[in-house]
Amino acid sequence: MPVPSLPAEPASSPPRAIGPQEWTAANVPLLGNPREVVTGLYERHSPAAGTVVVGVLDPDERLRASASFTRRPGDSDGWVFRNTLLAQLRRVIPHDLRRRVPVRTAVLLHCREGESRWTAEDGAWMWGLRDACTLHGLRCGAYVTLTGAGWQILGEGRGGRHPRLGSRTTLFVPAADEVPTRPGQLGPLPEQRVESAERLAPGDEMPEQRAGRGGSLTERAAGLLSRPIDTPREQWPRTAAR
């Protein structure tokens, strides 16, 4: 089936945009786990300021496809934004125009400097997202701004501080028994030592128990052989019984 061409812009038409009240009244479907969706888009594309990310979610909110691009400076018309988003959607996922009811949802992540509150440019992006979803057989989903202060879903009031522009969302935290203890560093916490003890096989000993025996078998034998013959028994080196 041939892909329809992008609609031509009518002459002398006013800029297309949506106000915050109109967007709120549009009953945009709420995300069940917005932080997971935002984090998934951020980790996949690592966007910088001026980047726009559009993602397509399955009914269970799994990220099915996504695309990112840099916003061209000077554009502020929803018609231009709609054509840009529609071209990106056609590039990453087939349309669902044959379905009577859309089952997938498109969300938009707009990364920028400054505040996360609604602006006139956001209204143009909202208009473009809504129209692009209609032409691609998708539901129009959340519009999220991402700034240095965090992320914010416009029209809902939900947001968070992580991820944010320039942040690292995936951190490797080694397990307690993988952290080397160097001079000047603290050892494992008490609860971590308990977990290590639970993993020991029957008959094994903790490092502290081995250290408390006063050294290796060779060292203990050397201590016994080196004691004077006439040393009283109570002054002999003490050894731990096995």
Side-chain angles (χ1 to χ4, degrees), residues 77-91:
D77 189 359
W79 191 279
V80 176
F81 294 158
R82 187 276 306 275
N83 289 346
T84 303
L85 292 172
L86 190 56
Q88 296 293 331
L89 290 172
R90 289 174 176 175
R91 184 174 61 87

PDB file of all heavy atoms in Angstrom, residues 77-91:
ATOM      1  N   ASP A  77       5.158  26.567  14.250  1.00  0.00           N
ATOM      2  CA  ASP A  77       3.826  26.297  13.736  1.00  0.00           C
ATOM      3  C   ASP A  77       3.513  24.818  13.883  1.00  0.00           C
ATOM      4  O   ASP A  77       4.335  23.954  13.548  1.00  0.00           O
ATOM      5  CB  ASP A  77       3.742  26.708  12.265  1.00  0.00           C
ATOM      6  CG  ASP A  77       2.312  26.660  11.740  1.00  0.00           C
ATOM      7  OD1 ASP A  77       1.405  26.289  12.519  1.00  0.00           O
ATOM      8  OD2 ASP A  77       2.099  26.989  10.562  1.00  0.00           O
ATOM      9  N   GLY A  78       2.325  24.516  14.386  1.00  0.00           N
ATOM     10  CA  GLY A  78       1.933  23.132  14.558  1.00  0.00           C
ATOM     11  C   GLY A  78       1.886  22.354  13.260  1.00  0.00           C
ATOM     12  O   GLY A  78       2.072  21.133  13.260  1.00  0.00           O
ATOM     13  N   TRP A  79       1.642  23.034  12.140  1.00  0.00           N
ATOM     14  CA  TRP A  79       1.609  22.346  10.852  1.00  0.00           C
ATOM     15  C   TRP A  79       2.984  21.772  10.518  1.00  0.00           C
ATOM     16  O   TRP A  79       3.113  20.624  10.081  1.00  0.00           O
ATOM     17  CB  TRP A  79       1.165  23.322   9.763  1.00  0.00           C
ATOM     18  CG  TRP A  79       0.853  22.666   8.455  1.00  0.00           C
ATOM     19  CD1 TRP A  79       1.734  22.278   7.498  1.00  0.00           C
ATOM     20  CD2 TRP A  79      -0.435  22.300   7.986  1.00  0.00           C
ATOM     21  NE1 TRP A  79       1.088  21.705   6.445  1.00  0.00           N
ATOM     22  CE2 TRP A  79      -0.256  21.706   6.715  1.00  0.00           C
ATOM     23  CE3 TRP A  79      -1.726  22.428   8.497  1.00  0.00           C
ATOM     24  CZ2 TRP A  79      -1.322  21.246   5.961  1.00  0.00           C
ATOM     25  CZ3 TRP A  79      -2.780  21.969   7.734  1.00  0.00           C
ATOM     26  CH2 TRP A  79      -2.585  21.383   6.494  1.00  0.00           C
ATOM     27  N   VAL A  80       4.029  22.547  10.749  1.00  0.00           N
ATOM     28  CA  VAL A  80       5.393  22.075  10.497  1.00  0.00           C
ATOM     29  C   VAL A  80       5.736  20.940  11.457  1.00  0.00           C
ATOM     30  O   VAL A  80       6.320  19.920  11.062  1.00  0.00           O
ATOM     31  CB  VAL A  80       6.390  23.237  10.635  1.00  0.00           C
ATOM     32  CG1 VAL A  80       7.829  22.739  10.465  1.00  0.00           C
ATOM     33  CG2 VAL A  80       6.080  24.331   9.626  1.00  0.00           C
ATOM     34  N   PHE A  81       5.367  21.097  12.714  1.00  0.00           N
ATOM     35  CA  PHE A  81       5.657  20.053  13.694  1.00  0.00           C
ATOM     36  C   PHE A  81       4.904  18.768  13.362  1.00  0.00           C
ATOM     37  O   PHE A  81       5.435  17.668  13.529  1.00  0.00           O
ATOM     38  CB  PHE A  81       5.282  20.538  15.095  1.00  0.00           C
ATOM     39  CG  PHE A  81       6.130  21.685  15.589  1.00  0.00           C
ATOM     40  CD1 PHE A  81       5.672  22.521  16.591  1.00  0.00           C
ATOM     41  CD2 PHE A  81       7.379  21.924  15.054  1.00  0.00           C
ATOM     42  CE1 PHE A  81       6.448  23.570  17.061  1.00  0.00           C
ATOM     43  CE2 PHE A  81       8.171  22.976  15.503  1.00  0.00           C
ATOM     44  CZ  PHE A  81       7.700  23.801  16.509  1.00  0.00           C
ATOM     45  N   ARG A  82       3.658  18.898  12.896  1.00  0.00           N
ATOM     46  CA  ARG A  82       2.885  17.715  12.527  1.00  0.00           C
ATOM     47  C   ARG A  82       3.560  16.949  11.402  1.00  0.00           C
ATOM     48  O   ARG A  82       3.682  15.713  11.459  1.00  0.00           O
ATOM     49  CB  ARG A  82       1.475  18.144  12.113  1.00  0.00           C
ATOM     50  CG  ARG A  82       0.496  16.994  11.865  1.00  0.00           C
ATOM     51  CD  ARG A  82       0.583  16.407  10.461  1.00  0.00           C
ATOM     52  NE  ARG A  82       0.448  17.379   9.415  1.00  0.00           N
ATOM     53  CZ  ARG A  82      -0.729  17.803   8.922  1.00  0.00           C
ATOM     54  NH1 ARG A  82      -1.856  17.325   9.401  1.00  0.00           N
ATOM     55  NH2 ARG A  82      -0.759  18.683   7.940  1.00  0.00           N
ATOM     56  N   ASN A  83       4.008  17.641  10.380  1.00  0.00           N
ATOM     57  CA  ASN A  83       4.666  16.973   9.262  1.00  0.00           C
ATOM     58  C   ASN A  83       5.973  16.309   9.698  1.00  0.00           C
ATOM     59  O   ASN A  83       6.311  15.215   9.240  1.00  0.00           O
ATOM     60  CB  ASN A  83       4.930  17.970   8.139  1.00  0.00           C
ATOM     61  CG  ASN A  83       3.654  18.387   7.430  1.00  0.00           C
ATOM     62  OD1 ASN A  83       2.607  17.758   7.596  1.00  0.00           O
ATOM     63  ND2 ASN A  83       3.725  19.454   6.652  1.00  0.00           N
ATOM     64  N   THR A  84       6.704  16.964  10.585  1.00  0.00           N
ATOM     65  CA  THR A  84       7.952  16.374  11.077  1.00  0.00           C
ATOM     66  C   THR A  84       7.682  15.108  11.872  1.00  0.00           C
ATOM     67  O   THR A  84       8.341  14.074  11.680  1.00  0.00           O
ATOM     68  CB  THR A  84       8.705  17.394  11.942  1.00  0.00           C
ATOM     69  OG1 THR A  84       8.952  18.583  11.182  1.00  0.00           O
ATOM     70  CG2 THR A  84      10.024  16.817  12.430  1.00  0.00           C
ATOM     71  N   LEU A  85       6.711  15.161  12.780  1.00  0.00           N
ATOM     72  CA  LEU A  85       6.382  13.984  13.585  1.00  0.00           C
ATOM     73  C   LEU A  85       5.837  12.856  12.719  1.00  0.00           C
ATOM     74  O   LEU A  85       6.172  11.680  12.927  1.00  0.00           O
ATOM     75  CB  LEU A  85       5.359  14.362  14.661  1.00  0.00           C
ATOM     76  CG  LEU A  85       5.856  15.296  15.769  1.00  0.00           C
ATOM     77  CD1 LEU A  85       4.693  15.737  16.649  1.00  0.00           C
ATOM     78  CD2 LEU A  85       6.919  14.603  16.608  1.00  0.00           C
ATOM     79  N   LEU A  86       5.011  13.191  11.755  1.00  0.00           N
ATOM     80  CA  LEU A  86       4.435  12.163  10.894  1.00  0.00           C
ATOM     81  C   LEU A  86       5.521  11.467  10.077  1.00  0.00           C
ATOM     82  O   LEU A  86       5.489  10.241   9.898  1.00  0.00           O
ATOM     83  CB  LEU A  86       3.387  12.789   9.983  1.00  0.00           C
ATOM     84  CG  LEU A  86       2.504  11.836   9.179  1.00  0.00           C
ATOM     85  CD1 LEU A  86       1.780  10.861  10.094  1.00  0.00           C
ATOM     86  CD2 LEU A  86       1.505  12.624   8.332  1.00  0.00           C
ATOM     87  N   ALA A  87       6.495  12.227   9.600  1.00  0.00           N
ATOM     88  CA  ALA A  87       7.598  11.617   8.853  1.00  0.00           C
ATOM     89  C   ALA A  87       8.412  10.683   9.741  1.00  0.00           C
ATOM     90  O   ALA A  87       8.839   9.607   9.303  1.00  0.00           O
ATOM     91  CB  ALA A  87       8.485  12.716   8.266  1.00  0.00           C
ATOM     92  N   GLN A  88       8.626  11.059  10.992  1.00  0.00           N
ATOM     93  CA  GLN A  88       9.372  10.200  11.909  1.00  0.00           C
ATOM     94  C   GLN A  88       8.587   8.931  12.241  1.00  0.00           C
ATOM     95  O   GLN A  88       9.156   7.834  12.306  1.00  0.00           O
ATOM     96  CB  GLN A  88       9.701  10.973  13.191  1.00  0.00           C
ATOM     97  CG  GLN A  88      10.624  12.159  13.003  1.00  0.00           C
ATOM     98  CD  GLN A  88      12.025  11.758  12.597  1.00  0.00           C
ATOM     99  OE1 GLN A  88      12.500  10.670  12.933  1.00  0.00           O
ATOM    100  NE2 GLN A  88      12.702  12.629  11.869  1.00  0.00           N
ATOM    101  N   LEU A  89       7.292   9.057  12.458  1.00  0.00           N
ATOM    102  CA  LEU A  89       6.473   7.885  12.759  1.00  0.00           C
ATOM    103  C   LEU A  89       6.448   6.914  11.584  1.00  0.00           C
ATOM    104  O   LEU A  89       6.544   5.692  11.766  1.00  0.00           O
ATOM    105  CB  LEU A  89       5.054   8.321  13.119  1.00  0.00           C
ATOM    106  CG  LEU A  89       4.881   9.041  14.459  1.00  0.00           C
ATOM    107  CD1 LEU A  89       3.470   9.596  14.593  1.00  0.00           C
ATOM    108  CD2 LEU A  89       5.192   8.102  15.618  1.00  0.00           C
ATOM    109  N   ARG A  90       6.332   7.427  10.384  1.00  0.00           N
ATOM    110  CA  ARG A  90       6.319   6.558   9.210  1.00  0.00           C
ATOM    111  C   ARG A  90       7.654   5.846   9.024  1.00  0.00           C
ATOM    112  O   ARG A  90       7.704   4.764   8.430  1.00  0.00           O
ATOM    113  CB  ARG A  90       5.991   7.386   7.965  1.00  0.00           C
ATOM    114  CG  ARG A  90       4.541   7.858   7.912  1.00  0.00           C
ATOM    115  CD  ARG A  90       4.312   8.789   6.739  1.00  0.00           C
ATOM    116  NE  ARG A  90       2.904   9.169   6.628  1.00  0.00           N
ATOM    117  CZ  ARG A  90       2.440  10.059   5.748  1.00  0.00           C
ATOM    118  NH1 ARG A  90       3.280  10.660   4.913  1.00  0.00           N
ATOM    119  NH2 ARG A  90       1.156  10.343   5.715  1.00  0.00           N
ATOM    120  N   ARG A  91       8.701   6.427   9.542  1.00  0.00           N
ATOM    121  CA  ARG A  91      10.020   5.824   9.389  1.00  0.00           C
ATOM    122  C   ARG A  91      10.231   4.652  10.337  1.00  0.00           C
ATOM    123  O   ARG A  91      10.966   3.712  10.011  1.00  0.00           O
ATOM    124  CB  ARG A  91      11.092   6.891   9.635  1.00  0.00           C
ATOM    125  CG  ARG A  91      12.514   6.430   9.417  1.00  0.00           C
ATOM    126  CD  ARG A  91      13.481   7.597   9.544  1.00  0.00           C
ATOM    127  NE  ARG A  91      13.440   8.198  10.865  1.00  0.00           N
ATOM    128  CZ  ARG A  91      14.174   7.765  11.896  1.00  0.00           C
ATOM    129  NH1 ARG A  91      14.978   6.722  11.748  1.00  0.00           N
ATOM    130  NH2 ARG A  91      14.096   8.367  13.066  1.00  0.00           N
TER     131      ARG A  91
END
